[in-house]
Amino acid sequence: MSEAIRFIMGAEEPLHYDIFTHAAGPEGKLPLSSDMLLNLPSGDLFGMSQNVGMGWKPDQLLGKQVLILSTQGGLRSEDGTPIALGYHTGHWEVGILVKEAALEVSAMGGLPFAAYVSDPCDGRSQGTTGMFDSLPYRNDAAMVYRRLIRSLPTRSGVIGVGTCDKGLPAMMIALAAMHDLPAIIVPGGVTLPPTVGEDAGKIQTIGARYSHGQITLDEAADLGCRVCATPGGGCQFLGTAASAQVVAEALGMSLPHSALAPSGQPIWRDMARQSARAVQWMHKSGITMRDILTDAAFENAMAVHAAFGGSTNLLLHIPAIAHAAKCRIPDVADWTRVNKAVPRLVSVLPNGPEYHPTIRVFMAGGVPEVMLHLRKLGLLNLKVKTVSGESLDHLLDWWEDSQRRHEIRKRLLETDGIDPSQVILSPERASSMGLTSTVTFPIGNLAPEGSVIKSTSIDPSVVGEDGVYHHIGQAKVFTTEKQAVSAIKLGQVQEGNIVVLIGRGPSGTGMEETYQLTSALKHLPFGKHVTLLTDARFSGVSTGACIGHISPEALVGGPIGKVQDGDWIEVRIDRTKLEGSVQFVGQGEERFSPETGAEILASRPMHQDLAPDPNLPDDTRLWAALQAASGGTWRGSIYDVDRIVETLQAGMEALAKSKS
């Protein structure tokens, strides 16, 4: 026997060969009727055999079937210790929510099913080729979720459990497409911050800070060990994961005060049972996703996103959910209108001004508390239906006088010494503290089709008294994030520079996140005096003068791909009027108007190093082509089947003509 066979096969175990070749099968009888045998499809009948084969009692097979989908990842033992790790804490404990929901379905006489499509971690893949699959994963997962739902044709409703950056948006897209089904989202909650230490956003800068001598090796090791203080839930900041939870609740897809609950705790577990009861109530009342997801519901979601100061990644996800729901897809004009009308009211990581973790936002009242303020301002559509079976107006009436609200807010003051009104602010208090509206969409000769910046998170110390961030600086051009990060660590990026990262949009990298850059700039002393321009996107925890989604992207001929080292660029962001521009205005000693700059750019060749990343997977190349045919990032990087088919047919016809 070879050494390899001996190592792999192990010692002989004779008892393993005592194999049975048949078994008696489950006892009892299927609850069949003559009508069922005559009229049901064979799949429904065989499904009953499968159900008892898995151990379900035959006399309990006729209850309403509820499918519970989740992003569960990893394998936990009963006591919670890991057997096989998941990719992130966000999906590590959601199996507990699945179990609680399933037990409640069973207690109500129903028949629970569970299926899982796990998700990647954007934090784990930052700066790696794993990021090339991040955004494309969302569409793939949504497709698989929809296929799983349709593959159980006997289901009466769907419960979707999800937490993080791509898994939860994928779940929302999938459920939004189930127009005629009762469905509900159960947000997977948040992890707690360490009693002493750093949050999961800041900890991702230990490499940059160590390279500049800000922390020691021992400090980096210690802080990094303690940052995820509890084993489950999304990150402690209002990044994409937390913003998606907030939006799910604002759309009416989740129960009130369910977003940002502390993973693993009783109030979080109870949320799953409540959601199971809600799906039953929806089924009984004839309420489906078509009733919940309306144009008015999406207006509410955009308003709540603005009030929270949510991640710019939701500009990709909300349109995709709207497309799946067959609602109007919001455009830049809609986002601008909403953000001009809605004040930011939440003081939270990463935006500030006080850096409260997301658990404190939950304790301060979460989404319904913010909605109370927005209702007083007349900024909500109050007649929309929610998965609670109530209109939003009635739901907020309940919340305002509920024991839950008063006890939770009081608990925050008792445990952390924090007044809830310092976390979720009144409009008057928010204004007095200098909170500004959330996003701005700069245009200019470098972004003729637009770009986006979370303008509320620009460091106030570099903003003028007139509310305008104005920066004229020389470009430092990079074609990979690795080059740019290395330059920052080596001190080659300095105060006053404008970092231009090109070729990292959908066609180059699958539109990677560039949080390595934004986080380093935030936590280095000179970083607030540096502006970042890119056709890539940013993590929800990103802050600063960081302008992304620049369109057209460099690899499809966008002028951003023609910028050269030393070019003079002018950036102007008005945080009050939510207006901005990104202009090429000079080269060498010469200065000129934006119009002249546009003419010079038009005559220039593309950057000599501009090319798709050599490691870009074919799967992502296909995604980039399909989403481009569907309208690109400003329509949410969706798959619009009608537009894709039309494009393919036109292409095939053109090819046929060229060969004839």
Side-chain angles (χ1 to χ4, degrees):
M1 182 186 297
S2 71
E3 182 180 353
I5 293 295
R6 185 181 300 107
F7 173 76
I8 293 168
M9 301 302 292
E12 294 286 349
E13 295 286 352
L15 290 178
H16 291 181
Y17 308 142
D18 190 7
I19 299 169
F20 297 96
T21 59
H22 55 83
E27 295 184 359
K29 295 183 178 180
L30 299 181
L32 298 174
S33 66
S34 175
D35 180 68
M36 292 166 70
L37 290 171
L38 291 172
N39 295 300
L40 288 182
S42 64
D44 287 4
L45 299 173
F46 180 59
M48 298 174 76
S49 297
Q50 291 272 24
N51 296 342
V52 296
M54 289 182 280
W56 207 260
K57 301 291 185 184
D59 59 358
Q60 297 176 348
L61 289 179
L62 297 182
K64 297 294 182 186
Q65 297 183 8
V66 177
L67 173 59
I68 308 170
L69 293 173
S70 84
T71 57
Q72 178 179 331
L75 185 62
R76 303 167 68 254
S77 62
E78 284 299 314
D79 65 0
T81 55
I83 298 172
L85 291 170
Y87 285 20
H88 55 86
T89 60
H91 63 213
W92 178 246
E93 290 187 329
V94 296
I96 299 171
L97 294 175
V98 173
K99 180 178 179 180
E100 295 289 346
L103 290 172
E104 190 68 16
V105 169
S106 300
M108 294 184 293
L111 194 61
F113 287 77
Y116 314 96
V117 181
S118 194
D119 53 352
C121 176
D122 282 2
R124 185 180 293 273
S125 62
Q126 289 292 337
T128 76
T129 56
M131 184 53 71
F132 300 167
D133 290 289
S134 171
L135 182 55
Y137 163 88
R138 184 204 66 181
N139 287 5
D140 296 343
M143 290 171 64
V144 175
Y145 283 129
R146 289 194 296 265
R147 291 189 188 280
L148 286 171
I149 294 168
R150 294 191 295 264
S151 297
L152 187 68
T154 49
R155 74 282 185 265
S156 65
V158 184
I159 299 171
V161 186
T163 304
C164 282
D165 291 32
K166 302 305 176 299
L168 179 52
M171 188 77 75
M172 294 162 71
I173 292 168
L175 268 57
M178 299 297 113
H179 309 130
D180 299 318
L181 271 179
I184 192 169
I185 291 288
V186 183
V190 298
T191 188
L192 299 186
T195 305
V196 178
E198 297 181 349
D199 67 90
K202 186 174 183 179
I203 206 66
Q204 294 180 55
T205 69
I206 53 177
R209 286 185 287 152
Y210 176 74
S211 69
H212 282 261
Q214 292 189 358
I215 57 174
T216 66
L217 178 61
D218 186 64
E219 287 171 334
D222 176 64
L223 292 169
C225 186
R226 288 186 284 114
V227 63
C228 298
T230 50
C235 293
Q236 309 107 329
F237 48 79
L238 191 75
T240 304
S243 298
Q245 293 185 42
V246 164
V247 164
E249 187 175 333
L251 282 168
M253 296 180 77
S254 299
L255 289 176
H257 199 227
S258 57
L260 314 181
S263 182
Q265 298 192 36
I267 196 168
W268 173 84
R269 292 170 178 260
D270 194 35
M271 178 176 65
R273 291 182 173 270
Q274 293 164 343
S275 297
R277 295 196 292 270
V279 164
Q280 185 194 55
W281 185 270
M282 291 174 72
H283 184 268
K284 178 181 177 181
S285 305
I287 299 172
T288 69
M289 280 291 95
R290 192 187 308 277
D291 301 308
I292 305 297
L293 294 177
T294 62
D295 290 347
F298 283 97
E299 284 278 323
N300 285 347
M302 293 167 70
V304 172
H305 174 271
F308 268 79
S311 164
T312 54
N313 278 321
L314 272 295
L315 275 67
L316 295 166
H317 301 320
I318 289 178
I321 300 164
H323 174 260
K326 296 191 181 301
C327 291
R328 180 179 175 277
I329 297 177
D331 57 23
V332 170
D334 295 313
W335 285 103
T336 300
R337 169 178 52 81
V338 169
N339 276 271
K340 284 185 175 181
V342 178
R344 182 163 72 89
L345 302 177
V346 182
S347 184
V348 62
L349 285 163
N351 301 328
E354 298 295 330
Y355 297 109
H356 297 293
T358 43
I359 179 59
R360 288 183 181 168
V361 180
F362 177 79
M363 299 291 283
V367 172
E369 194 68 24
V370 170
M371 282 184 147
L372 285 181
H373 291 299
L374 297 182
R375 179 169 72 167
K376 290 178 182 178
L377 294 173
L379 295 172
L380 293 176
N381 296 280
L382 298 170
K383 294 182 180 180
V384 296
K385 288 185 178 180
T386 70
V387 291
S388 69
E390 297 282 355
S391 70
L392 178 59
D393 205 18
H394 289 160
L395 203 63
L396 293 179
D397 285 342
W398 164 79
W399 171 256
E400 192 165 21
D401 294 323
S402 68
Q403 181 182 3
R404 180 185 180 109
R405 178 192 182 217
H406 297 303
E407 290 296 327
I408 289 288
R409 285 166 60 83
K410 183 173 72 173
R411 177 72 176 167
L412 177 60
L413 187 61
E414 293 172 348
T415 57
D416 286 12
I418 299 295
D419 181 346
S421 64
Q422 294 177 346
V423 181
I424 297 177
L425 314 176
S426 68
E428 297 76 20
R429 187 168 191 171
S431 178
S432 69
M433 293 182 65
L435 275 71
T436 56
S437 296
T438 300
V439 294
T440 299
F441 298 90
I443 58 173
N445 61 26
L446 290 177
E449 293 180 6
S451 60
V452 66
I453 180 173
K454 191 195 289 186
S455 49
T456 194
S457 67
I458 300 175
D459 192 309
S461 69
V462 295
V463 177
E465 293 183 2
D466 57 357
V468 175
Y469 172 78
H470 185 216
H471 182 192
I472 299 177
Q474 289 186 284
K476 290 263 190 177
V477 182
F478 303 94
T479 56
T480 72
E481 185 188 22
K482 184 177 181 180
Q483 292 171 348
V485 170
S486 177
I488 289 174
K489 289 183 176 180
L490 295 173
Q492 296 167 355
V493 172
Q494 299 173 352
E495 180 175 322
N497 287 155
I498 293 183
V499 173
V500 182
L501 177 63
I502 59 175
R504 314 311 282 181
S507 302
T509 65
M511 204 179 188
E512 66 182 1
E513 282 186 354
T514 56
Y515 182 60
Q516 280 195 111
L517 288 174
T518 58
S519 61
L521 292 173
K522 177 178 180 177
H523 293 289
L524 295 175
F526 64 88
K528 64 183 179 181
H529 300 289
V530 174
T531 299
L532 172 61
L533 309 180
T534 183
D535 51 6
R537 60 193 175 92
F538 299 126
S539 167
V541 72
S542 294
T543 60
C546 307
I547 300 172
H549 299 219
I550 288 180
S551 299
E553 62 171 314
L555 282 165
V556 298
I560 190 72
K562 299 181 178 183
V563 177
Q564 300 172 0
D565 279 335
D567 281 348
W568 289 93
I569 295 173
E570 180 176 25
V571 175
R572 183 182 294 271
I573 308 295
D574 190 322
R575 300 203 308 168
T576 303
K577 295 180 180 179
L578 300 187
E579 297 171 353
S581 60
V582 187
Q583 309 279 17
F584 165 55
V585 295
Q587 53 186 357
E589 299 299 320
E590 185 182 7
R591 301 291 183 275
F592 35 72
S593 69
E595 292 75 18
T596 300
E599 294 173 0
I600 294 172
L601 287 170
S603 67
R604 276 185 179 179
M606 303 303 289
H607 192 285
Q608 63 179 7
D609 296 330
L610 185 64
D613 194 287
N615 295 310
L616 191 67
D618 285 346
D619 299 326
T620 301
R621 292 177 58 213
L622 177 61
W623 165 86
L626 294 176
Q627 65 91 38
S630 303
T633 56
W634 295 114
R635 293 190 80 227
S637 294
I638 57 175
Y639 293 161
D640 186 326
V641 175
D642 291 337
R643 291 177 68 160
I644 292 169
V645 170
E646 181 182 359
T647 302
L648 286 172
Q649 288 176 339
M652 288 187 289
E653 290 171 5
L655 285 172
K657 287 181 180 179
S658 70
K659 294 177 180 179
S660 61

